[in-house]
Amino acid sequence: MPNQSSPAVIIAGGGPVGLVVALMLGRAGIAVTLFDQGDIVHSQPRAATIHPATLDILDDLGAYALIEPQGIVCPIVNYYDGKLLLASFDHALLKGETRHPWVLQCEQDKLSRTLFAMAKAIPNITFRTATKVTGCSQASGAVEVIVEAAGGGQERHQALYLIGADGARSTVRTAVGVEFEGFTYPERSMIIGTPYDFAADGYAYRNYIADPDEWYNLFKISWLGPPGIYRLVVPLRPDEVVDGDHALATAQCKLQRFNPRPESYEIAFYDSYSVAQRVAATFRKGRVLLAGDSAHLNSPIGAMGMNSGIHDAVNLAESLIRVLCGGESDASLDRYERQRRHVATAHVQTATITNKQNMEQRDPVKRQRYRDEMRRRAEDPLLAKAFLMRTALIDSLRDAERIV
Ligand SMILES: Cc1cc2nc3c(=O)[nH]c(=O)nc-3n(C[C@H](O)[C@H](O)[C@H](O)COP(=O)(O)OP(=O)(O)OC[C@H]3O[C@@H](n4cnc5c(N)ncnc54)[C@H](O)[C@@H]3O)c2cc1C
């Protein structure tokens, strides 16, 4: 058993998922230690879209009022086929289903900084940055976690539960021997930020652009500047180089191919990444629970990774609070696994795999079917609302609640 001074819960990873779990457990009076191998507030370009269902959750946590001024409120999302606008959806159709019938474009590091500042104010949460979780084992009612601190020294910590919120390459998931089932796409994608104002060319703040030659996702992600930053996500062909000096030239070429202009684009940042569709074989192994990217990975098209990870975090924190403070049986943690693994496989994987297929569809018959379907949805308010209920992840939360 852990001794008196041990935390009840150890969290590996201080991304948005680990921070939400820490915040909720800490507020419930549970002693928590969170280890992060980095500094928590790194600003690599990643998530920027926060859907209505997640905004409701962040509002309940008191975070929404803090992030809204840092983001861009976007009720509209547009779908194109090449240059042809197929469909425009207004999240106002979700009034009555959510308190936030819009998407907030707010970069992940801004959310993390906000959640970190909130959680740091809670005395029973201990943060250990620059400290890497390297392994864990379970025995006699406790879990032992091995960490390597900044100076290189090894430490052992005990707790009742360990949460693996340590991202795609999760050490915790590997340490407990859970398979990460699925596949990785052969091609990489590129993400490019520019202060160029695509609104002047008629684009909304959120645009999905299907194209059999080269698809694009174009989002305004901040007001930085002003005029602010638009972000283009685009697949890389195998012959396109993204190493060293070539990366900037490739980014310029991608922007020019998307929207040719005589002048060069100013490039604020660029990065490339690989995309996988994977779900952990189980989200629970005894006293070890997985959440967020350590439990599931998906293509960013549709913006569901961080959003669904935050939904895991809330479900898991509420389950642990019922067990640790409400006397509920530990077996009830299996419900977390049943509900959230179902969402990962039946909602997020299905939607994101289909989104990518639609973006890059080369078969003319399937492409025409996609065009017709999007136009029909946009013209019929009932179909449009049903579509937004899925993309905004409201359906997935309600579906999970039905699982006992
Ligand atoms: C280009 C791109 C765009 C995206 N856009 C969106 C979007 O718009 N909306 C959306 O919902 N999702 C989006 N995503 C996905 C989103 O970024 C992830 O789903 C999200 O970061 C998952 O959060 P997390 O807390 O689970 O993991 P992470 O954010 O990866 O955090 C994991 C944390 O664990 C720490 N860590 C790792 N290993 C260890 C260890 N051994 N010991 C201690 N600490 C460790 C890391 O330092 C890190 O702080 C995007 C992803 C990419 C790549």
Side-chain angles (χ1 to χ4, degrees):
M1 284 287 285
N3 63 40
Q4 284 281 295
S5 61
S6 299
V9 178
I10 290 177
I11 300 172
V17 173
L19 289 170
V20 167
V21 180
L23 185 63
M24 291 182 66
L25 297 182
R27 282 180 176 168
I30 295 167
V32 176
T33 297
L34 186 150
F35 295 105
D36 194 283
Q37 65 182 7
D39 62 359
I40 294 179
V41 292
H42 50 82
S43 54
Q44 214 191 352
R46 291 183 72 184
T49 298
I50 313 183
H51 288 297
T54 315
L55 296 178
D56 287 351
I57 287 170
L58 294 172
D59 197 16
D60 292 340
L61 294 176
Y64 181 74
L66 302 171
I67 58 166
E68 199 210 75
Q70 304 178 60
I72 305 175
V73 170
C74 298
I76 304 294
V77 56
N78 283 349
Y79 288 79
Y80 287 82
D81 184 28
K83 294 284 173 203
L84 183 71
L85 178 64
L86 291 177
S88 184
F89 296 97
D90 188 341
H91 284 72
L93 285 170
L94 297 179
K95 269 181 199 149
E97 307 288 351
T98 165
R99 303 193 301 280
H100 303 86
W102 56 82
V103 154
L104 187 73
Q105 290 293 117
C106 176
E107 294 151 286
Q108 182 170 330
D109 63 300
K110 292 176 179 162
L111 175 62
S112 286
R113 279 168 211 274
T114 304
L115 292 168
F116 189 29
M118 292 169 79
K120 270 197 294 194
I122 299 173
N124 46 308
I125 308 177
T126 303
F127 282 100
R128 295 275 310 270
T129 52
T131 307
K132 182 176 179 163
V133 171
T134 56
C136 65
S137 59
Q138 305 185 55
S140 60
V143 55
E144 184 172 77
V145 181
I146 306 164
V147 303
E148 195 178 288
Q154 202 178 73
E155 300 168 12
R156 288 171 185 273
H157 297 262
Q158 280 83 37
L160 291 173
Y161 294 99
L162 166 64
I163 296 170
D166 50 345
R169 294 193 179 87
S170 173
T171 304
V172 173
R173 187 186 63 236
T174 307
V176 291
V178 173
E179 280 293 310
F180 210 20
E181 298 164 346
F183 63 92
T184 301
Y185 288 106
E187 79 275 20
R188 291 173 72 76
S189 288
M190 190 167 202
I191 182 167
I192 310 161
T194 174
Y196 179 76
D197 185 12
F198 286 101
D201 297 315
Y203 286 104
Y205 292 159
R206 301 186 64 233
N207 312 274
Y208 290 99
I209 299 139
D211 195 303
D213 295 326
E214 187 163 277
W215 57 264
Y216 305 96
N217 292 174
L218 178 71
F219 299 114
K220 186 148 184 160
I221 55 163
S222 81
W223 291 120
L224 190 75
I229 299 285
Y230 262 95
R231 185 169 100 173
L232 189 75
V233 168
V234 52
L236 283 163
R237 293 194 310 261
D239 62 319
E240 285 175 318
V241 187
V242 285
D243 294 335
D245 295 344
H246 296 294
L248 199 55
T250 302
Q252 186 63 238
C253 179
K254 291 287 190 190
L255 285 164
Q256 290 289 356
R257 199 177 306 147
F258 170 61
N259 192 51
R261 61 193 288 259
E263 306 84 8
S264 292
Y265 281 92
E266 190 183 327
I267 294 175
F269 62 80
Y270 58 85
D271 200 2
S272 72
Y273 57 91
S274 65
V275 177
Q277 298 286 163
R278 295 186 184 275
V279 179
T282 177
F283 287 12
R284 179 178 187 195
K285 211 55 184 302
R287 293 182 170 274
V288 178
L289 297 123
L290 304 176
D293 272 17
S294 81
H296 46 81
L297 274 184
N298 55 270
S299 139
I301 309 171
M304 294 188 168
M306 182 185 75
N307 280 274
S308 65
I310 290 174
H311 300 182
D312 292 349
V314 172
N315 186 315
L316 179 53
E318 285 173 347
S319 306
L320 279 168
I321 291 166
R322 285 197 300 272
V323 170
L324 293 170
C325 309
E328 205 171 276
S329 153
D330 163 278
S332 69
L333 290 174
D334 291 337
R335 192 169 51 234
Y336 161 72
E337 132 96 6
R338 285 193 295 276
Q339 294 184 333
R340 295 308 306 168
R341 195 166 183 282
H342 168 75
V343 167
T345 54
H347 291 263
V348 176
Q349 291 294 311
T350 313
T352 50
I353 289 171
T354 306
N355 286 347
K356 185 167 184 293
Q357 285 167 349
N358 288 336
M359 286 292 107
E360 66 192 8
Q361 190 55 255
R362 291 199 163 95
D363 179 329
V365 176
K366 290 182 180 161
R367 211 171 145 208
Q368 187 57 44
R369 201 182 302 146
Y370 170 69
R371 283 191 201 134
D372 295 343
E373 192 177 40
M374 293 308 280
R375 285 194 179 113
R376 221 177 18 253
R377 277 178 183 145
E379 284 160 10
D380 179 338
L382 281 180
L383 291 179
K385 181 175 174 185
F387 177 68
L388 291 176
M389 289 289 283
R390 286 198 298 281
T391 58
L393 289 169
I394 298 173
D395 273 356
S396 74
L397 278 173
R398 293 184 185 171
D399 189 26
E401 272 167 25
R402 287 191 280 269
I403 297 172
V404 288

